[in-house]
Amino acid sequence: ATCNYQARKFGIRKGMFLGRAKKLSPELVVLKYDFEGYQQVSGMVDDILQRYAQEYQGVVEKVSCDESFLEIFVPQTHDGVPVVLSIAERIRQDIVDATECTATIGVANNKFLSKLASDQVKPNQSLVVEDHKELLKGLNLRDLHGIGYRSEPKLQEKGLTTVQDVMG
């Protein structure tokens, strides 16, 4: 279902079939899924996000037990500091205080970019996207949602490996 960051160093990715993961890392340790524990912690995080949504006239879109999008409406900056960065850091701290779990937050003007931002700073950081071209510049197409191990070789055959290749 998922993997930690140590497993990712071996090329293991979330959603990967277990057989393939074990081929990449024969010493892979597989833990039993604690569904009840995940549900409990997920509910605590949901409560925190709902609180911020109410405070900033926003909305929460839950994607999975460990991923959500929070849309809020705040001023761009306060004294030159992005307001959303301080809110993101408050959310992360609230999550740690309530659950003893870390959180990663990507902030952007759309879900696609915010997801990419959070992927760039995992684990346990926040990133505000100020220049989307800068964020996309160094990414491989494989880093994008929907580009998997089947479509990647087809794109590579056409000379397309990085986002820069398709941006021109």
Side-chain angles (χ1 to χ4, degrees):
T2 191
C3 62
N4 66 21
Y5 295 96
Q6 291 299 318
R8 291 175 192 202
K9 292 177 184 176
F10 294 92
I12 298 171
R13 300 173 66 97
K14 64 181 178 181
M16 179 180 279
F17 289 113
L18 185 57
R20 185 161 190 259
K22 285 192 169 197
K23 284 181 183 175
L24 291 171
S25 178
E27 265 110 78
L28 181 68
V29 175
V30 180
L31 302 175
K32 183 179 177 192
Y33 188 76
D34 180 9
F35 185 74
E36 289 177 12
Y38 262 71
Q39 250 184 336
Q40 181 183 10
V41 170
S42 179
M44 295 165 77
V45 172
D46 287 347
D47 292 345
I48 292 166
L49 296 179
Q50 289 295 341
R51 193 175 72 234
Y52 278 90
Q54 288 177 347
E55 183 178 345
Y56 293 101
Q57 295 79 42
V59 64
V60 176
E61 179 185 339
K62 187 171 176 123
V63 178
S64 66
C65 67
D66 68 349
E67 185 173 1
S68 297
F69 290 101
L70 171 63
E71 180 179 21
I72 59 175
F73 303 95
V74 296
Q76 198 82 8
T77 60
H78 179 71
D79 294 332
V81 177
V83 172
V84 291
L85 181 58
S86 64
I87 294 170
E89 290 303 314
R90 282 188 8 232
I91 292 170
R92 285 182 353 91
Q93 189 59 55
D94 287 353
I95 291 170
V96 168
D97 291 346
T99 68
E100 298 182 22
C101 294
T102 61
T104 302
I105 298 177
V107 179
N109 60 5
N110 63 57
K111 290 188 280 188
F112 173 74
L113 293 174
S114 64
K115 173 69 172 141
L116 289 176
S118 68
D119 288 346
Q120 292 296 303
V121 294
K122 284 182 180 181
N124 196 27
Q125 294 181 52
S126 298
L127 176 65
V128 176
V129 176
E130 295 180 18
D131 180 355
H132 72 276
K133 289 181 181 178
E134 192 64 31
L135 175 71
L136 295 171
K137 185 168 67 174
L139 293 179
N140 289 321
L141 290 172
R142 180 70 165 96
D143 297 329
L144 303 180
H145 178 74
I147 307 293
Y149 71 95
R150 288 189 178 147
S151 57
E152 183 180 32
K154 294 175 186 174
L155 292 167
Q156 287 174 340
E157 286 174 12
K158 298 178 186 305
L160 303 173
T161 304
T162 68
V163 172
Q164 202 68 28
D165 294 337
V166 296
M167 288 178 68

